[in-house]
């Protein structure tokens, strides 16, 4: 650690990386009044597109944070179909089409007040930045590059290079959260390893402007276009704004190794099938892997987002999984700083989030493999009856096997923290295993399910600050013993009464305790014999949580 003359900067929480996950965590902490410092080496949000698919759960977070309208506005137009299309070229033959009627647009679905949207990071990140910095307790520094850290029993000391002034700063924090993405420098410093699939893919990502491209071909509008070519599936086109901007993806180590030599102009014309008006904005290269960190914590350092897990983006799970990490960690860090969080609260982060990371990343691994290994029969390129039959056969196979690549509502909404040391998990609860479909349930550890309240709010709008104890039905028991127990431990609790019989049936118990992140911590038909044991359990302070 350098000893220079600059005063040490003290902060309870240092977030390294101001990408979407670091910004979301800062915003969640800011909303909870927990101070943090975010250091980001770049000059501002990224200007080359990466993530676009924002799932329904992430949109629920945006709703909680009060920016859902801004995200919807920055998303593809409401009527733009989220269809995944497979074709030979945009001027060639259609092979398959997977529609996603629950994604995009405005009206709620039966399972969530929010629909999945398509909002690229080039628009999402500035929204998250503005949200984070709207809180006085959030300090965001661009062009500050983290260099190294050391941990003591009660502190982490980090050296940061202020690139604008070319000066080193020493930051003393109680906790450091590594949100610095796939190229984390903290992971190697701490000897952290990642494991998972041996797959390594090399890609070019080409940012293209092609106004109203759909007017130049007969395939119609589609959000994701995969090209089936004689060599297999190695190029795709992803809409960004639903008007004129696209991300054109090209797989191949030879292009990755020598991007300057890749004739991206020719490649774009090839997949369109003819020359159309367009402009190439920027080209970046990137490597895809499907791996998860073997630990999400090292002492006082926590890992979230791409620093904790990396996935091929074909199922749109990387950013969404990272936002889930931020939401799980936010309230636990805030509770720890506020003094009511027990030692087991932060321990539960890895126990809850690593299995979600493993499940999502292994789905990403399987789903893009299906496309990679798909060998098209030569006749599908022929304008003949045999060609037509071959296209139908291949199309049916794609729809049968790839629908779960594009529709992952079960993963988005059905993830459950079970076992969790801070939830009173239910023995024998049926696991939520579906990837495509979400089956609403209030089993302990699950996201508390959505339902409309008579006043027009979603019941999930009641969650997201402190704990919420929901009394369901006309004869819900008195909860004063629970309220007293929470008050005795200074744990924030609101009590909500919901009489609608349909919601009571959905939640299945008369009393349901929902955590500050919206997950069910406990449910029963009567208050517990020992309410203090309950509050100690859910705040991570009982023997069971240590
Ligand atoms: C082509 C592509 C398409 C994708 N599509 C989707 C999708 O549709 N849906 C989805 O969910 N995910 C998608 N992803 C994945 C998604 O982009 C990532 O999961 C997401 O960006 C991770 O966010 P993050 O904040 O964890 O990391 P990053 O976005 O990588 O941000 C990390 C930040 O840390 C900063 N940083 C790094 N080192 C330092 C340092 N030493 N000091 C200070 N700052 C540092 C970086 O500058 C960067 O700003 C896609 C990815 C790619 C490549």
């Amino acid at each position: 650690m350098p000893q220079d003359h600059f005063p040490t900067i003290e902060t309870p929480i240092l977030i390294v990386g101001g990408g979407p996950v670091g910004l979301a965590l800062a915003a969640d902490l800011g909303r909870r009044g927990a101070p943090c410092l975010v250091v980001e080496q770049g000059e501002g949000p990224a200007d080359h597109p990466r993530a676009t698919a924002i799932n329904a759960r992430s949109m629920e977070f945006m709703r909680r944070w009060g920016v859902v309208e801004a995200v919807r506005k920055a998303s593809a137009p409401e009527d733009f179909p989220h269809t995944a299309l497979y074709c030979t070229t945009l001027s060639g033959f259609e092979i398959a089409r997977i529609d996603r009627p629950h994604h995009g647009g405005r009206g709620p679905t039966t399972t969530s007040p929010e629909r999945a949207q398509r909002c690229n990071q080039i628009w999402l990140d500035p929204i998250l930045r503005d949200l984070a910095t709207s809180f006085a307790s959030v300090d965001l520094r661009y062009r500050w590059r983290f260099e190294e850290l050391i941990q003591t029993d009660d502190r982490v000391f980090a050296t940061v290079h202020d690139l604008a002034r070319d000066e080193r700063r020493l930051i003393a924090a109680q906790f450091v959260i590594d949100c610095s993405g796939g190229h984390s420098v903290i992971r190697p410093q701490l000897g952290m390893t990642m494991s998972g699939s041996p797959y390594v893919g090399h890609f070019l990502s080409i940012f293209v402007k092609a106004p109203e491209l759909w007017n130049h071909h007969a395939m119609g509008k589609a959000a994701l276009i995969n090209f089936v070519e004689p060599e297999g599936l190695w190029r795709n086109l992803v809409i960004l704004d639903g008007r004129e901007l696209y991300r054109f993806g090209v797989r191949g180590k030879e292009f990755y190794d020598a991007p300057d030599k890749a004739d991206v102009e020719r490649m774009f014309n090839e997949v369109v099938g003819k020359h159309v008006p367009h402009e190439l904005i920027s080209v970046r290269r990137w490597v895809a892997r499907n791996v998860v960190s073997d630990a999400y914590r090292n002492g006082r350092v926590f890992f979230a987002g791409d620093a904790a897990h990396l996935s091929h983006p074909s199922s749109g799970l990387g950013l969404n999984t990272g936002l889930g990490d931020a939401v799980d960690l936010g309230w636990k860090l805030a509770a720890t700083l506020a003094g009511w969080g027990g030692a087991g609260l932060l321990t539960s982060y890895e126990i809850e989030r690593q299995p979600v990371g493993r499940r999502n990343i292994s789905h990403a691994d399987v789903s893009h493999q299906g496309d990679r290994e798909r060998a098209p029969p030569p006749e599908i390129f022929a304008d003949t009856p045999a060609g037509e039959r071959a296209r139908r056969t291949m199309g049916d196979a794609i729809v049968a096997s790839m629908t779960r690549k594009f529709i992952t509502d079960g993963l988005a909404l059905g993830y459950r923290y079970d076992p969790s040391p801070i939830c009173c998990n239910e023995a024998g609860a049926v696991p939520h295993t579906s990837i495509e479909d979400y089956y609403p349930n209030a089993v302990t550890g699950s996201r508390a399910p959505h339902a409309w309240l008579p006043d027009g709010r979603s019941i999930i709008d009641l969650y997201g600050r402190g704990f919420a104890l929901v009394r369901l039905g006309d004869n819900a028991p008195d909860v004063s013993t629970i309220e007293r127990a929470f008050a005795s431990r200074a744990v924030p609790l609101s009590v909500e009464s919901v009489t609608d019989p349909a919601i009571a049936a959905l939640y299945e118990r008369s009393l349901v305790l929902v955590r500050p992140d919206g997950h069910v911590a406990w449910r029963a038909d009567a208050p517990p014999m020992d309410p203090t044991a309950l509050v100690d359990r859910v705040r991570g302070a009982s023997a069971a949580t240590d």
Side-chain angles (χ1 to χ4, degrees):
M1 281 296 122
Q3 298 296 313
D4 54 34
H5 56 278
F6 293 107
T8 302
I9 300 169
E10 296 271 348
T11 180
I13 299 168
L14 171 64
I15 298 174
V16 178
V21 175
L23 292 172
L25 176 58
D28 198 73
L29 288 168
R31 194 171 158 271
R32 297 179 190 284
C36 64
L37 169 62
V38 186
V39 294
E40 162 58 50
Q41 64 185 0
E43 291 184 358
D47 56 3
H48 185 90
R50 288 169 69 194
T52 305
I54 312 299
N55 70 25
R57 186 57 175 151
S58 295
M59 287 302 289
E60 290 177 355
F61 300 149
M62 304 300 158
R63 181 183 176 93
R64 181 184 295 169
W65 295 330
V67 293
V68 75
E69 203 51 50
V71 175
R72 266 198 231 114
K73 231 168 126 191
S75 298
E78 279 179 31
D79 60 353
F80 200 99
H82 285 216
T83 301
L85 172 75
Y86 286 75
C87 60
T88 54
T89 71
L90 282 174
S91 311
F93 298 106
E94 176 173 326
I95 309 281
R97 185 176 283 271
I98 297 171
D99 289 321
R100 297 190 282 185
H102 299 314
H103 294 199
R106 188 160 273 269
T109 64
T110 53
T111 53
S112 174
E114 297 300 333
R115 286 167 169 258
Q117 298 292 343
R118 299 194 65 76
C119 179
N120 193 268
Q121 279 180 244
I122 53 179
W123 302 295
L124 180 70
D125 291 7
I127 293 172
L128 293 174
R129 175 205 53 202
D130 293 348
L131 172 67
T133 52
S134 69
F135 299 103
S137 56
V138 174
D139 187 359
L140 168 62
R141 303 293 174 109
Y142 283 112
R143 302 211 64 206
W144 279 32
R145 175 178 291 146
F146 166 92
E147 289 185 335
E148 57 177 331
L149 61 74
I150 53 167
Q151 299 196 58
T152 64
D153 283 349
D154 62 350
R155 279 279 196 288
V156 187
F157 292 94
T159 314
V160 168
H161 186 179
D162 176 346
L163 298 168
R165 293 165 182 255
D166 194 19
E167 290 169 357
R168 297 299 193 287
R169 312 267 172 182
L170 189 63
I171 300 173
Q174 290 176 43
F175 301 104
V176 170
I177 320 304
D178 182 3
C179 298
S180 66
H183 298 287
S184 160
V185 292
I186 298 183
R187 248 187 357 238
Q189 271 180 37
L190 295 176
M192 314 280 293
T193 51
M194 298 183 103
S195 52
S197 163
Y199 167 78
V200 181
H202 295 86
F203 294 84
L204 287 188
S205 163
I206 301 141
F207 189 12
V208 188
K209 185 180 196 172
E212 301 196 336
L213 182 57
W214 52 87
N215 284 334
H216 299 278
H217 60 78
M219 298 287 170
K221 293 179 182 176
L224 301 161
I225 303 160
N226 295 283
F227 298 101
V228 180
E229 303 184 67
E231 308 81 14
L233 281 73
W234 59 288
R235 303 194 270 201
N236 67 7
L237 199 56
V238 176
I239 66 114
L240 301 177
D241 64 345
R243 294 174 185 89
E244 58 182 11
L245 298 175
Y246 292 82
R247 189 175 56 72
F248 177 38
V250 175
R251 178 162 55 89
K253 180 87 163 58
E254 65 278 31
F255 307 123
Y256 177 89
D257 286 341
D260 296 343
K261 293 199 184 120
D263 188 350
V264 290
E265 178 73 34
R266 178 181 56 78
M267 287 199 259
F268 182 72
N269 289 333
E270 279 171 0
V271 298
V272 177
K274 60 182 170 192
H275 182 80
V276 297
H278 69 275
E279 181 194 328
L280 301 177
I281 301 171
S282 50
V283 179
R284 298 272 195 286
R285 52 193 205 142
W286 59 281
V287 176
R289 298 176 66 205
N290 297 310
V291 287
V292 178
S293 184
D294 294 322
Y296 275 35
R297 178 180 186 174
N298 180 305
R300 294 181 162 270
V301 181
F302 294 80
F303 298 82
D306 276 18
H309 41 76
L310 290 168
S311 64
H312 188 286
S314 64
S315 284
L317 290 169
L319 170 58
N320 290 302
T321 309
L323 293 177
D325 298 339
V327 166
D328 190 81
L329 200 47
W331 73 275
K332 294 174 180 175
L333 285 167
T336 304
L337 296 187
W340 59 262
L345 205 51
L346 287 173
T347 308
S348 70
Y349 169 65
E350 173 179 295
I351 299 169
E352 294 186 343
R353 291 304 302 173
Q354 194 186 44
V356 178
R358 288 203 171 123
R359 185 178 175 200
N360 290 359
I361 274 53
S362 79
H363 176 66
D365 191 44
V366 172
S367 57
H368 69 88
Q369 199 174 335
D371 272 342
R372 246 185 18 251
E373 293 170 355
R374 200 173 295 280
E379 58 273 25
I380 71 157
F381 303 101
D383 192 6
T384 60
E388 179 57 34
R389 279 196 299 279
R391 285 190 286 279
R392 212 171 312 132
T393 305
M394 186 176 190
D396 289 347
I398 286 174
V399 172
S401 62
M402 288 292 123
T403 299
R404 66 204 316 255
K405 167 175 161 179
F406 300 107
I407 302 181
T408 53
D409 298 345
L411 285 183
L413 298 171
Y415 61 98
R416 181 185 300 164
Y417 301 141
D418 186 359
S420 164
I422 59 163
C423 289
C424 304
N425 293 126
E426 296 163 32
V430 180
H432 192 292
T433 51
S434 173
I435 286 173
E436 284 170 55
D437 299 313
Y438 164 66
Y439 301 103
N441 71 88
V443 172
T444 312
S446 312
R447 153 194 171 271
H450 153 74
W452 291 113
L453 297 171
D455 64 8
R457 286 178 301 167
S458 165
I459 193 169
I460 70 170
D461 296 336
L462 304 178
Y463 316 140
R465 293 269 179 198
F467 279 85
L469 179 57
V470 191
R471 301 173 65 244
L472 291 130
D474 284 331
N475 300 310
D478 176 77
V479 292
S480 48
T481 55
I482 303 179
E483 285 182 277
R484 279 198 296 277
F486 272 72
S488 75
R489 298 294 200 235
V491 178
L493 176 77
S494 62
V495 177
E496 313 284 351
S497 294
V498 175
T499 51
D500 183 328
I503 302 180
L506 173 64
Y507 276 64
E508 292 184 313
R509 303 285 191 281
S510 306
L511 299 177
V512 177
L513 179 66
V514 181
R515 315 188 320 183
D517 60 351
H519 281 254
V520 177
W522 166 87
R523 62 177 185 166
D525 286 322
M529 299 289 285
D530 184 353
T532 308
L534 172 65
V535 66
D536 284 346
R537 175 80 181 254
V538 299
R539 72 185 182 97
S542 72
T545 60
D546 284 340

